Amino acid sequence: MIAGGVTNIEITLDSERALEKINNLKEMYGNQVVIGAGTVLNEKQAKEAIIAGVDFIFAPILDRKTIEVTKEKGKIMIPGAFTPTEIYQGYSWGADIIKVFPANILGSQFIKDIKSPLGEIPVMPTGGISLNNIKSFFEAGSAAAGVGGSLVKKDLIEQEKWEEIIKLAGDFQEISKPVI
């Protein structure tokens, strides 16, 4: 993925040896790549991930203590939200960007609709983002997009088809360029 141009990588804490992987990636790539911990559900997990060396914390939920400890440690905080109230609440608690999740349920029209009253709040749709729909989310006003299974394809990894993963990462990077 890095060879394909991906510069922000999330390792979910529910994956095997997640903290060790985070630490290894930071040692290998330093500041060349931004590494984050995902599926962070509480303050304790955030602290452990920060000790492991993450640059950002990605959560599927809103938890005020998690946001506060992450910001106190000078890290980027991206909690998950589903409603305009949750989006506003997370941002008012200090989150840098709000993860709108699951985006495939809400669609890019939801992003467009909330950007009118909540335009100052940067949002990042995740869940169901693909090459077919990512551009519509940027056109609707998303600051970024989180891509999972449509980029980290298990079958390509199992078959060690690294060149296909590099190409896929490059395709996502190309289509994700800012919309003017």
Side-chain angles (χ1 to χ4, degrees):
M1 289 188 298
I2 295 168
V6 174
T7 57
N8 297 289
I9 297 174
E10 167 199 0
I11 305 296
T12 59
L13 287 187
D14 59 354
S15 61
E16 189 177 329
R17 299 186 341 264
L19 297 174
E20 180 183 328
K21 289 176 187 173
I22 289 166
N23 189 270
N24 290 343
L25 284 169
K26 286 307 290 182
E27 283 182 13
M28 289 172 61
Y29 295 99
N31 292 331
Q32 194 178 4
V33 180
V34 178
I35 305 295
T39 318
V40 176
L41 301 175
N42 55 54
E43 177 183 5
K44 179 182 178 289
Q45 289 178 329
K47 287 178 180 177
E48 291 171 348
I50 291 167
I51 290 168
V54 296
D55 299 300
F56 65 90
I57 297 292
F58 219 35
I61 60 166
L62 282 180
D63 180 72
R64 187 174 190 158
K65 293 262 188 210
T66 303
I67 293 170
E68 290 172 351
V69 74
T70 300
K71 296 310 299 172
E72 285 169 10
K73 299 295 184 182
K75 304 300 178 183
I76 298 166
M77 181 62 209
I78 309 167
F82 190 75
T83 67
T85 300
E86 291 173 342
I87 292 167
Y88 179 82
Q89 188 64 69
Y91 195 68
S92 71
W93 286 342
D96 297 287
I97 301 172
I98 302 297
K99 168 182 162 175
V100 177
F101 173 78
N104 59 326
I105 301 297
L106 298 167
S108 59
Q109 186 63 45
F110 177 79
I111 302 296
K112 184 177 180 184
D113 291 346
I114 63 159
K115 288 306 284 184
S116 180
L118 303 175
E120 79 282 358
I121 300 174
V123 295
M124 176 181 189
T126 66
I129 303 298
S130 68
L131 283 171
N132 296 326
N133 66 12
I134 193 169
K135 190 169 185 145
S136 69
F137 283 99
F138 282 112
E139 289 170 344
S142 298
V147 182
S150 59
L151 173 58
V152 185
K153 293 187 174 254
K154 289 184 181 185
D155 61 325
L156 295 179
I157 293 168
E158 288 169 359
Q159 298 169 34
E160 298 184 10
K161 294 187 175 183
W162 310 127
E163 292 302 317
E164 289 185 41
I165 293 173
I166 292 170
K167 182 187 179 320
L168 188 57
D171 291 345
F172 269 103
Q173 290 301 309
E174 185 61 33
I175 203 164
S176 299
K177 290 193 173 162
V179 178
I180 299 174

